[in-house]
Amino acid sequence: MKNTIKQAFHSSKFVTGFVIFMFVLVTIFVYPLIVTRDPLEMVGQGNFFKPGTYVAVSDVVGTNSNYRLNVDTSAAKLETGLSVENRAMMADWLEKYGEVPASDIDVTDAESLVALWNEKYDPKTVIKGMTIAVRNQYMRLNNQIQHALKDSGVIIAEKNEETGELEEAKSYDGREFVNQGDLPNTQTFLLGTDNFGRDVLTELVAATKVSLGVGIIAGVIATIIGLILGLLAGYVGGFVDNLITFITNLFTVIPSFVLLILISYSVSESARGTTMVGILIGITAWPWTTRSVRSQVISLRNRDHVNLSKLSGHSMMRIVFTDILPYIASYVVMAFILQISSGILAEAQLSMLGLGPSTTTTATLGLMMNWATQYSAHTSGTWWAYFPVILVIALISFSLNLMNTGLDQIFNPQLRD
Amino acid sequence: MKGFRKYYGQKILWYLITLVFAVVLNFVLPRLMPGDPVSAIVSNQASGITDATAVEKMYQEYTEKFGIDKPLYQQFFAWIGNAVKGDFGVSFSQYPRTVSDIISNSAMWTICLQLPAIIVGWLLGNILGAVAAYMKGLWDKAILPVFLFVSNIPAFGMATILLFIFAIRMHVLPSSGAYGFDLIPSASWTFVKSILVHYQLPFWSIVLITIGGQAVGMRSMSIYELNADYVKYSRFLGIKDGKIVKYVFRNAMLPQITGLALSLGTMMGGALVAEIMFSYPGLGSTLLSAVTGRDYPLLSACTLIITIMVLVANLLVELVYGVIDPRVKANQQD
């Protein structure tokens, strides 16, 4: 046993898979220790915040005497304040009367546009052929720009409870700033927020844990059923073998996906928790394990050491446990690993169809995808709501498959390169 | 010729038995669950209706329709009798339309999408696997692992990735549907072009995730065959490399065909979910609308038609296998 494990770690594929899987596993358990908030807490009001750091609006304009403001600088004000029409007008004037070549004018860069404007435009010059109305229009535009450039500051007013009038509480100069580090209430969403305003990263970690749990439940159940049926079919043989093989072949051809849909639809929604979904996936996923266990047992059945045990009058149980199980353990482990990965995938697909766990207390990878799809994150380009989920599913599945291939190469020397 | 007929006869018989079981399961599974399906359906349908007599009337209507008061086997034969005639009842969620109308429409889209996609993915995968086994180097160390990772992305994941890149960011391909929303199905060139354009993303997302898995299988089979005695003997005899490679790949292909048959069901399941991402009007989207609309007749007809499609595809693969595999051929000639 010890040697087998040692051997496994000599396979580069197994090690790669193992490292990825461990990384996921460690993250699942360490992350909640650092970020302790409820993964389903709706941190942000409103949905699909881009990844980044956010400041609570109520803190920016606090209600106490200590006001904090994130004031726009004049440049930012110009950037947002100048409408597209105004910019077009400015560009038009500069090109026609300011003798600036069109290639030098960039309407998307407000700052340089205004600088160019201030340099060329003089309200006093009279241009021939220009009507007064147009001339006034340009003057109004100029006033607007000059006004925007002035830092007028901001006045904060409070409503008087008794009279209902607004009273000035404090005024701020446009050049007053607050250090970002001093802001009391900032939220950093490394992966943004989802449609409910939940932090995707925290949710994702919690969901991975639950999905992995579903996969393991499914894997354990499928492996146990598959192991028992495979042992019975392979060891007992005869009619039992024929019957089990028939049923197994039947269920490998009838897609387990279809069975899963039918059963999940029939289970009442209140009973369909994450554990239940794991169990359902497990009871539809056993045929693969049964097949591989059966063929392994058949090749072992007539080995000398098994025959010797039979001759010594050992009971069937003892023969199975001491002479057969240890030899097929590696195959069972490999089948178990694959079952986990396909279990996670099955949960995700089931949830996409709306037949996943019906729960509001936990998230699963499938449910996250389902929510993102229902709120059409995939067509609105909010990639952070679903790409991380897809990546986690792919990483887990990839790492488990790599571990499986690595083990396969150790136990089947023919496959080694 | 006798053995030939026997082989096919056995295969077809076995698939017929499987079909019977599949149909029985399709009927029994939802009815095995505790609770009265009619009351469940009525309570779902009647939510919002406050008139008690109307609910009562609905209940009676559905009891009659489903024949709930009759024993299970009678219900089964009544259901089977209707199903054979192609009558799956009327859809709850898309009311006046019959289930068979909806299904026949969406099944066509699904077949036209998935059949070519899976075959192309399988072929490309086999070519990649064979090339990786024979050429080694870059193919084996870089390209194959990339496809291997890609094959671990779930089908719906691949769909969203392609959707994001090509439809949302680059705006080169449409993001949803099977044809332009402003078009009416007709035999015109614009309609065909629209179908082809809408076809690309769903098609390639299925192809891309199929390649990796098939390539790995093909690679190990090819390596196994390349080390076989007959290859060494052929080399010793001085047979040209090209010819040996042909033998090798032909032999390595055989298990791949069986592998295709065995994994068809899983592949289809994944691809059906991928359809949802594109709102492709196939069985996947129909399944979703059946689930969200609590449309039981539609759901059970969907699952039945999917099962039948997988069974037929499996049978076809096995029949093809009988023609290709020399061992089966030898048996046929006895």
Side-chain angles (χ1 to χ4, degrees):
Chain A
M1 191 66 191
K2 208 172 144 194
N3 277 326
T4 320
I5 294 171
K6 225 186 220 166
Q7 222 180 347
F9 281 93
H10 284 304
S11 155
S12 65
K13 276 183 185 154
F14 181 84
V15 172
T16 317
F18 187 77
V19 167
I20 299 175
F21 191 68
M22 276 302 135
F23 172 73
V24 174
L25 219 56
V26 167
T27 315
I28 289 173
F29 288 105
V30 172
Y31 184 87
L33 299 179
I34 301 166
V35 180
T36 47
R37 72 161 161 247
D38 177 12
L40 292 192
E41 188 193 330
M42 298 181 189
V43 193
Q45 286 287 326
N47 50 33
F48 292 135
F49 286 152
K50 257 190 230 168
T53 302
Y54 288 82
V55 182
V57 176
S58 68
D59 286 346
V60 177
V61 184
T63 43
N64 291 328
S65 57
N66 184 22
Y67 293 102
R68 293 169 189 282
L69 270 183
N70 253 356
V71 182
D72 282 351
T73 61
S74 57
K77 226 182 205 168
L78 280 176
E79 209 55 79
T80 52
L82 270 184
S83 68
V84 181
E85 293 83 32
N86 285 348
R87 289 179 194 211
M89 250 177 92
M90 286 162 77
D92 198 36
W93 190 92
L94 286 171
E95 211 183 319
K96 273 188 195 154
Y97 313 111
E99 286 147 13
V100 181
S103 55
D104 285 1
I105 303 170
D106 180 13
V107 283
T108 54
D109 182 4
E111 215 172 337
S112 69
L113 190 66
V114 169
L116 211 57
W117 174 263
N118 284 339
E119 186 190 323
K120 299 280 178 192
Y121 184 79
D122 182 6
K124 284 173 197 131
T125 48
V126 180
I127 294 159
K128 269 185 188 169
M130 190 187 256
T131 59
I132 296 177
V134 175
R135 191 167 160 248
N136 284 344
Q137 203 183 353
Y138 278 117
M139 279 167 85
R140 276 200 300 277
L141 176 64
N142 185 46
N143 282 342
Q144 217 176 323
I145 294 165
Q146 300 316 323
H147 183 76
L149 280 173
K150 229 185 280 168
D151 266 324
S152 51
V154 177
I155 292 169
I156 303 242
E158 263 177 4
K159 194 176 171 187
N160 190 317
E161 291 293 321
E162 288 160 21
T163 58
E165 283 170 6
L166 286 178
E167 290 170 0
E168 184 186 321
K170 201 163 184 185
S171 67
Y172 283 98
D173 185 72
R175 288 186 194 79
E176 268 184 70
F177 295 100
V178 172
N179 189 319
Q180 277 196 354
D182 293 341
L183 288 170
N185 192 6
T186 58
Q187 291 278 7
T188 303
F189 304 122
L190 280 182
L191 294 174
T193 70
D194 72 354
N195 52 297
F196 298 113
R198 299 161 175 166
D199 180 12
V200 170
L201 182 62
T202 317
E203 197 186 355
L204 182 67
V205 172
T208 310
K209 191 176 175 182
V210 177
S211 276
L212 211 54
V214 170
I216 288 173
I217 292 174
V220 167
I221 290 174
T223 308
I224 289 175
I225 298 178
L227 189 58
I228 292 173
L229 288 181
L231 280 171
L232 274 178
Y235 189 74
V236 179
F239 174 71
V240 178
D241 184 20
N242 287 339
L243 184 71
I244 293 178
T245 312
F246 177 74
I247 297 174
T248 312
N249 284 342
L250 213 62
F251 282 105
T252 29
V253 181
I254 300 175
S256 60
F257 182 67
V258 164
L259 291 179
L260 203 51
I261 290 175
L262 281 176
I263 301 176
S264 306
Y265 188 79
S266 317
V267 176
S268 69
E269 224 161 81
S270 54
R272 215 170 59 216
T274 46
T275 319
M276 189 55 156
V277 169
I279 294 171
L280 293 183
I281 295 170
I283 58 175
T284 52
W286 52 267
W288 290 99
T289 310
T290 309
R291 283 173 84 109
S292 83
V293 169
R294 176 181 167 271
S295 60
Q296 289 302 320
V297 174
I298 284 179
S299 73
L300 276 171
R301 194 169 54 188
N302 284 323
R303 291 265 187 91
D304 287 346
H305 72 281
V306 180
N307 282 332
L308 201 64
S309 289
K310 271 188 205 159
L311 287 175
S312 325
H314 290 312
S315 69
M316 188 184 132
M317 277 311 229
R318 184 166 163 188
I319 296 175
V320 166
F321 276 101
T322 57
D323 297 327
I324 290 185
L325 270 184
Y327 289 83
I328 60 167
S330 58
Y331 290 93
V332 176
V333 169
M334 274 154 54
F336 176 61
I337 289 177
L338 285 188
Q339 292 281 13
I340 295 178
S341 106
S342 64
I344 292 173
L345 187 63
E347 187 274 326
Q349 290 181 341
L350 213 51
S351 298
M352 293 284 296
L353 282 174
L355 289 173
S358 71
T359 163
T360 48
T361 49
T362 48
T364 67
L365 293 173
L367 285 177
M368 284 183 77
M369 274 306 291
N370 187 26
W371 289 325
T373 324
Q374 277 187 11
Y375 285 79
S376 48
H378 61 298
T379 48
S380 61
T382 45
W383 55 269
W384 57 89
Y386 51 85
F387 273 11
V389 185
I390 294 168
L391 186 71
V392 167
I393 296 178
L395 271 183
I396 293 179
S397 161
F398 184 59
S399 66
L400 291 174
N401 276 321
L402 269 184
M403 280 159 79
N404 181 65
T405 323
L407 289 176
D408 209 12
Q409 284 179 348
I410 293 163
F411 300 119
N412 294 335
Q414 273 183 330
L415 291 174
R416 281 180 211 163
D417 300 329
Chain B
M1 231 22 221
K2 212 176 147 206
F4 191 76
R5 209 176 295 155
K6 198 178 158 202
Y7 174 81
Y8 285 136
Q10 272 176 349
K11 286 288 168 210
I12 292 170
L13 184 70
W14 151 250
Y15 275 96
L16 279 179
I17 295 172
T18 315
L19 178 65
V20 170
F21 270 88
V23 170
V24 170
L25 279 175
N26 210 52
F27 175 81
V28 170
L29 273 181
R31 287 168 177 78
L32 267 186
M33 297 301 143
D36 169 6
V38 172
S39 61
I41 291 166
V42 171
S43 70
N44 284 327
Q45 292 291 302
S47 61
I49 300 176
T50 44
D51 186 358
T53 51
V55 174
E56 182 63 26
K57 209 176 158 196
M58 275 173 81
Y59 189 85
Q60 276 175 357
E61 204 182 302
Y62 281 119
T63 312
E64 209 173 293
K65 205 168 189 175
F66 282 77
I68 279 299
D69 42 346
K70 292 183 199 127
L72 203 63
Y73 71 92
Q74 277 190 18
Q75 289 178 40
F76 178 69
F77 286 114
W79 179 76
I80 261 285
N82 286 333
V84 168
K85 282 182 275 174
D87 174 16
F88 293 98
V90 177
S91 158
F92 288 162
S93 55
Q94 309 179 27
Y95 176 63
R97 287 185 79 185
T98 60
V99 170
S100 36
D101 176 35
I102 301 172
I103 293 284
S104 57
N105 209 341
S106 51
M108 197 241 337
W109 286 112
T110 292
I111 292 172
C112 292
L113 173 66
Q114 296 201 3
L115 194 66
I118 289 177
I119 290 175
V120 169
W122 182 78
L123 279 176
L124 288 180
N126 280 322
I127 293 171
L128 176 65
V131 170
Y134 191 70
M135 313 264 275
K136 302 214 166 70
L138 184 71
W139 288 91
D140 201 25
K141 292 280 173 292
I143 297 171
L144 188 75
V146 168
F147 275 103
L148 198 57
F149 179 75
V150 168
S151 72
N152 280 299
I153 299 174
F156 60 83
M158 199 62 202
T160 36
I161 292 171
L162 291 188
L163 193 67
F164 182 75
I165 298 174
F166 293 103
I168 310 287
R169 274 290 152 94
M170 289 164 66
H171 297 290
V172 286
L173 289 166
S175 65
S176 70
Y179 48 85
F181 57 89
D182 50 348
L183 294 175
I184 299 165
S186 61
S188 68
W189 171 236
T190 35
F191 185 70
V192 173
K193 215 166 85 180
S194 172
I195 284 188
L196 283 178
V197 169
H198 283 77
Y199 192 73
Q200 299 307 317
L201 287 182
F203 178 77
W204 289 108
S205 60
I206 298 172
V207 170
L208 280 177
I209 59 155
T210 316
I211 290 177
Q214 299 300 328
V216 171
M218 186 62 182
R219 177 184 169 272
S220 43
M221 281 323 297
S222 301
I223 288 177
Y224 179 76
E225 290 287 335
L226 278 170
N227 293 329
D229 287 343
Y230 73 87
V231 174
K232 287 175 191 152
Y233 185 61
S234 310
R235 288 229 169 95
F236 176 69
L237 286 181
I239 295 176
K240 274 188 202 135
D241 243 24
K243 202 155 196 180
I244 300 174
V245 168
K246 226 171 95 189
Y247 288 144
V248 166
F249 292 150
R250 202 180 154 151
N251 285 340
M253 282 292 269
L254 290 175
Q256 284 297 100
I257 295 174
T258 336
L260 176 69
L262 286 174
S263 55
L264 260 179
T266 323
M267 279 189 205
M268 259 195 83
L272 283 173
V273 179
E275 277 181 11
I276 295 173
M277 304 311 291
F278 297 106
S279 317
Y280 207 77
L283 285 171
S285 305
T286 311
L287 257 180
L288 179 69
S289 70
V291 171
T292 47
R294 302 187 168 281
D295 191 342
Y296 178 71
L298 188 56
L299 182 98
S300 84
C302 267
T303 49
L304 190 63
I305 205 82
I306 293 168
T307 316
I308 290 173
M309 276 159 66
V310 173
L311 287 186
V312 170
N314 261 313
L315 178 62
L316 286 180
V317 171
E318 293 224 24
L319 295 185
V320 169
Y321 191 76
V323 177
I324 300 174
D325 191 347
R327 278 160 294 186
V328 180
K329 239 191 227 164
N331 278 337
Q332 288 159 11
Q333 276 151 3
D334 286 347

